[in-house]
Amino acid sequence: MGESITEGTIINWLINIGDTFEVGDIILEVATDKVDNEVPAPASGTLVETLFQAKDVVPVGAVIAILEVSEERNVKPKADSVSQSASQDAQKQKKDNKPKPIPSVLAPAAFSNTNANTFFSPLVIKIAKEQHISFEELARIPATGHQGRLRKSDVFNYIEDGRPYQFSQAVAQDPTAYRIPQLTFDKGKGKVIEMDRMRQMIADHMVYSKHTAPHVTAYVEADMTNMVNWRNANKKAFQEKYGERLTFTPLFVEAVAKAVKDYPNINASVDGNNIIVKENINIGMATALPSGNLIVPVVKNADSKDLKTIAENVNELAIKARENKLGGDDIKGSTFTISNVGTFGSVMGTPIINQPEVAILALGIIKKRAEVMETEKGDEIAIRSMMYLSLSFDHRVVDGFLGGSFVRRVADYFEQFDVDRKI
């Protein structure tokens, strides 16, 4: 369901215990922070037992049901034995995933010190998310790593000990050190709206990204006049010839893919101390859903496609997003993301990196302004269509030279658009 997916939520079971099904029948629906998915039956058979119910959050790889496939019905004892063994293993797995109770002997631990080094590796953060351990609690776990860093074994040992600092308050040893203030906010009165499941997952993903990647944002300005004039002159002919609307998005995707090819290290992700430079250039497009939530459908291998094909992909994904019909394959594999904040009238934005990528580009509104132009006659004032580009990048692996050079190259491709280009 996507390389960044670690858990899913069961929406509902579509068959009951004892019901039979054929291979390919939809057994249940599972939701992730990306999209809702229908799960087909891997074989024909009968549903023997469900180990998780609707609204349960289940980690990737967990056993969720016991099925008796039709091919095994002739060997009843063996099937029963397998079902019983699998059921016991799955029940144990489900039990192990539950938070462990805190022993009463540890209850008086009301205060604890906070570690000086609060840098947490992605692996430690992943474990913390799975165990529902907050950053405040992580900071109180005794660390044995180099320079006081928290290790994986430290977290597991802490969990094994019953999480004694789960409800404790931090006490700063150094009066000049930062400590979390104990504040009581006046939340006011008004309509209370509970976050839906997708909004909660988006919130977690954004907080994780900001905590994991030190964000730096670089800005450039691009003269879009050539591109704007060409599109206005050709959009009707383009639709008549190819049957596709020509928005600015396909033109943006095309130019960004070319710039990524020029600077391949921007097309990467971080895995511990390793940088993975991706072979494919898959451009994600941040897209608003009818609910107001955000999703990122992906144009795969954008660097190898012509404008017609990119326009087809963009229009198809946009329609699917509006109709809530995006599938798992539509949102997988993004290596670089763009966010067209200009759609909503924003001049510029400071986007949050779509993990595990290392950069994201925001495109502001295209607006006509009076600009000073250098001509053979000297400086002249002309009306030009201008746009701000803002690139947020992960400063762990992308420095200012790479980030600045890349966003400048994108702007160059925009400005140098061929006004004589044939459709």
Side-chain angles (χ1 to χ4, degrees):
M1 297 184 181
E3 61 182 1
S4 62
I5 302 300
T6 60
E7 62 185 17
T9 302
I10 294 178
I11 300 176
N12 62 302
W13 290 94
L14 302 181
I15 60 173
N16 299 316
I17 294 175
D19 288 352
T20 58
F21 49 82
E22 299 297 326
V23 59
D25 288 350
I26 304 303
I27 298 180
L28 75 157
E29 295 176 311
V30 175
T32 69
D33 59 340
K34 303 289 187 182
V35 74
D36 294 347
N37 297 270
E38 294 180 333
V39 181
S44 301
T46 305
L47 178 61
V48 176
E49 182 180 3
T50 57
L51 304 175
F52 293 91
Q53 305 306 315
K55 298 185 179 181
D56 284 350
V57 179
V58 187
V60 167
V63 176
I64 60 173
I66 306 300
L67 311 178
E68 181 184 271
V69 298
S70 56
E71 290 80 4
E72 293 180 3
R73 288 177 182 168
N74 294 331
V75 197
K76 201 70 177 178
K78 182 177 179 181
D80 291 343
S81 174
V82 171
S83 297
Q84 183 178 6
S85 174
S87 175
Q88 291 173 350
D89 290 344
Q91 291 289 4
K92 181 179 184 299
Q93 179 187 44
K94 183 177 179 182
K95 180 180 179 182
D96 290 343
N97 283 334
K98 291 182 178 179
K100 295 183 178 181
I102 301 177
S104 58
V105 69
L106 296 174
F111 297 93
S112 68
N113 296 324
T114 302
N115 296 327
N117 191 338
T118 55
F119 171 83
F120 305 124
S121 69
L123 176 59
V124 167
I125 293 174
K126 179 177 182 293
I127 298 170
K129 287 182 66 178
E130 292 173 349
Q131 299 295 329
H132 305 288
I133 299 175
S134 67
F135 288 129
E136 294 178 47
E137 188 178 354
L138 275 182
R140 303 181 191 124
I141 299 175
T144 61
H146 179 61
Q147 296 182 342
R149 287 192 178 183
L150 193 65
R151 303 168 61 189
K152 175 180 71 173
S153 58
D154 297 330
V155 180
F156 285 137
N157 290 337
Y158 172 74
I159 295 172
E160 188 67 26
D161 290 340
R163 296 174 62 180
Y165 303 137
Q166 185 175 8
F167 303 109
S168 62
Q169 299 294 320
V171 177
Q173 295 175 319
D174 183 353
T176 64
Y178 173 79
R179 59 184 179 273
I180 300 172
Q182 300 298 313
L183 301 177
T184 301
F185 294 102
D186 180 6
K187 297 184 175 72
K189 297 180 180 179
K191 181 180 179 181
V192 177
I193 302 174
E194 183 180 358
M195 285 188 185
D196 60 27
R197 172 189 48 78
M198 180 173 280
R199 175 51 52 189
Q200 293 177 40
M201 291 181 173
I202 290 173
D204 289 343
H205 194 60
M206 296 298 97
V207 171
Y208 170 73
S209 182
K210 291 291 286 187
H211 180 85
T212 302
H215 283 54
V216 177
T217 305
Y219 304 86
V220 299
E221 190 176 21
D223 186 339
M224 307 293 290
T225 306
N226 288 350
M227 182 183 289
V228 170
N229 290 343
W230 182 88
R231 174 185 172 269
N232 289 340
N234 290 277
K235 60 182 180 181
K236 182 177 179 181
F238 189 92
Q239 184 159 9
E240 290 175 351
K241 183 175 182 179
Y242 300 118
E244 296 289 344
R245 293 178 61 243
L246 181 60
T247 63
F248 280 107
T249 302
L251 299 171
F252 294 159
V253 170
E254 181 185 54
V256 168
K258 290 169 63 177
V260 169
K261 200 167 186 176
D262 294 340
Y263 293 94
N265 287 345
I266 208 78
N267 196 52
S269 62
V270 180
D271 181 18
N273 293 325
N274 297 321
I275 302 171
I276 303 173
V277 179
K278 304 299 180 64
E279 296 177 350
N280 298 328
I281 298 177
N282 302 331
I283 306 299
M285 312 178 302
T287 304
L289 293 170
S291 63
N293 290 322
L294 195 68
I295 201 164
V296 184
V298 183
V299 178
K300 307 287 179 59
N301 301 308
D303 59 312
S304 63
K305 294 178 177 177
D306 57 17
L307 184 61
K308 168 185 172 293
T309 306
I310 293 176
E312 289 175 351
N313 292 168
V314 167
N315 292 336
E316 179 185 7
L317 292 170
I319 292 171
K320 284 184 175 181
R322 284 196 298 269
E323 297 177 353
N324 283 318
K325 292 182 178 179
L326 286 169
D329 289 339
D330 295 325
I331 58 171
K332 283 182 182 177
S334 174
T335 61
F336 184 89
T337 298
I338 61 174
S339 179
N340 190 357
V341 299
T343 301
F344 313 108
S346 296
V347 175
M348 64 177 68
T350 52
I352 298 176
I353 297 168
N354 182 25
Q355 295 294 328
E357 298 164 23
V358 298
I360 181 173
L361 179 67
L363 304 167
I365 189 173
I366 300 175
K367 195 170 185 179
K368 288 184 177 180
R369 292 202 303 270
E371 294 289 319
V372 177
M373 307 291 293
E374 294 183 0
T375 69
E376 295 178 355
K377 300 178 183 179
D379 291 344
E380 296 182 355
I381 295 178
I383 304 299
R384 309 293 291 181
S385 296
M386 306 297 294
M387 181 176 75
Y388 287 107
L389 291 75
S390 48
L391 179 78
S392 292
F393 54 89
D394 185 343
H395 216 334
R396 291 177 301 170
V397 295
V398 179
D399 56 23
F401 175 78
L402 174 58
S405 300
F406 171 78
V407 69
R408 183 62 257 174
R409 181 60 57 86
V410 176
D412 290 342
Y413 281 130
F414 287 170
E415 293 183 342
Q416 297 165 10
F417 193 89
D418 182 7
V419 293
D420 297 322
R421 179 176 178 175
K422 303 299 182 183
I423 61 173

